[in-house]
Amino acid sequence: MRDLVVAMTGASGAIYAVRLLEVLLASGRNVHLTISPSAKLVVSKELDLELNLEQFEISQLLPPDSKLSAESAVRLLRPGAEGVAADNSSVLSEITPGKVTYHHYSDFRAGIASGSFLTAGMVICPCSMGTLASIAGGHSENLIHRAADVHLKERRKLIVVPRETPLGSIQLENMKRLTDSGAVVLPAMPGFYHNPRSIRDLVDFVVGRILDQLDIEHALFRRWGT
Ligand SMILES: Cc1cc2nc3c(=O)[nH]c(=O)nc-3n(C[C@H](O)[C@H](O)[C@H](O)COP(=O)(O)O)c2cc1C
């Protein structure tokens, strides 16, 4: 199983990225993570967490105890498994949690800056309008833009998760440009047909749709028709 690339940029919705990372790691996927300076500001504002981008540790973003990850893994592997948390040890023993390799946003020496470094795809979550415009314009000004560029040119999966409303014509044109280049534009727009009861349910809807694009099985929300 190849590694995945996850980039966090400075759009609102840092909670989506945290949940995505939690679920990917709990499902055993290795992740190359990079974070823009604006994402650091948003994380501070929205999640009250202080990231050190020069000396980043995943514990700055995800709680060091594995309680949430374990719960994610159970829900991920077993549809409707929320009720089995008490006896989940056999499920959890089947999973080796994934690892995070962090890359500074300005480190163009990182493997993910090159097409010869094979990955299973890249997710930019949340994706700011600025990063979206840079990718659409082909400006590789930081590692996030460059890695996205590489995924497009190598015809690999690139999923961008914008969070902006309303949208202007330049933003819509940039999204069209990315879609035409092979990217998946997956706005952070939760559905309501799964009868969400909490913010977690809304977040899981969006994260689940990202996992669908990555062909990762999950049970983060109840699908229509099931
Ligand atoms: C708290 C906060 C929330 C923001 N929310 C958004 C947003 O939802 N969408 C967006 O495109 N930009 C948003 N911005 C502005 C971007 O962070 C800004 O355009 C930045 O230059 C993006 O840089 P980056 O793409 O390198 O992360 C927000 C900024 C802050 C501080």
Side-chain angles (χ1 to χ4, degrees):
M1 240 178 343
R2 287 183 187 160
D3 295 356
L4 288 160
V5 181
V6 174
M8 294 173 64
T9 66
S12 183
I15 191 171
Y16 292 113
V18 168
R19 182 63 170 159
L20 176 66
L21 286 168
E22 205 173 80
V23 170
L24 288 176
L25 297 174
S27 69
R29 300 302 296 257
N30 291 333
V31 172
H32 290 261
L33 174 66
T34 179
I35 303 171
S36 78
S38 300
K40 173 184 152 84
L41 293 180
V42 176
V43 166
S44 170
K45 171 84 183 117
E46 296 185 346
L47 303 177
D48 206 15
L49 295 171
E50 296 309 319
L51 306 183
N52 181 345
L53 299 188
E54 310 307 315
Q55 290 182 308
F56 178 79
E57 301 281 345
I58 191 63
S59 56
Q60 293 167 18
L61 201 52
L62 301 184
D65 68 73
S66 61
K67 220 170 145 210
L68 284 173
S69 296
E71 180 257 350
S72 298
V74 171
R75 294 184 75 194
L76 202 68
L77 287 180
R78 284 193 187 167
E82 285 141 279
V84 304
D87 72 333
N88 62 19
S89 52
S90 60
V91 179
L92 294 178
S93 63
E94 293 164 16
I95 310 162
T96 307
K99 293 197 181 87
V100 173
T101 306
Y102 171 74
H103 305 286
H104 192 270
Y105 64 90
S106 68
D107 184 6
F108 289 105
R109 299 163 306 171
I112 58 170
S114 167
S116 66
F117 186 91
L118 298 177
T119 72
M122 174 172 185
V123 186
I124 307 182
C125 177
C127 184
S128 75
M129 291 299 107
T131 288
L132 198 130
S134 296
I135 301 166
H139 309 296
S140 288
E141 281 166 12
N142 66 26
L143 179 63
I144 298 170
H145 311 157
R146 171 62 189 164
D149 230 18
V150 163
H151 279 74
L152 289 179
K153 86 180 173 75
E154 299 291 335
R155 309 291 195 269
R156 285 189 218 139
K157 195 83 149 192
L158 172 66
I159 301 161
V160 297
V161 185
R163 204 296 330 160
E164 186 65 77
T165 195
L167 292 162
S169 66
I170 293 173
Q171 295 162 336
L172 287 165
E173 278 166 19
N174 285 336
M175 289 186 201
K176 165 120 179 22
R177 216 159 170 198
L178 283 195
T179 301
D180 290 347
S181 307
V184 174
V185 178
L186 194 157
M189 289 180 184
F192 288 84
Y193 55 79
H194 63 309
N195 300 121
R197 295 277 176 264
S198 62
I199 290 177
R200 167 56 63 87
D201 289 344
L202 294 169
V203 169
D204 277 359
F205 182 90
V206 172
V207 170
R209 299 297 282 140
I210 298 171
L211 295 188
D212 288 347
Q213 287 297 323
L214 294 170
D215 282 330
I216 297 176
E217 264 187 70
H218 69 87
L220 288 174
F221 60 82
R222 193 187 178 99
R223 293 178 190 280
W224 183 253
T226 61

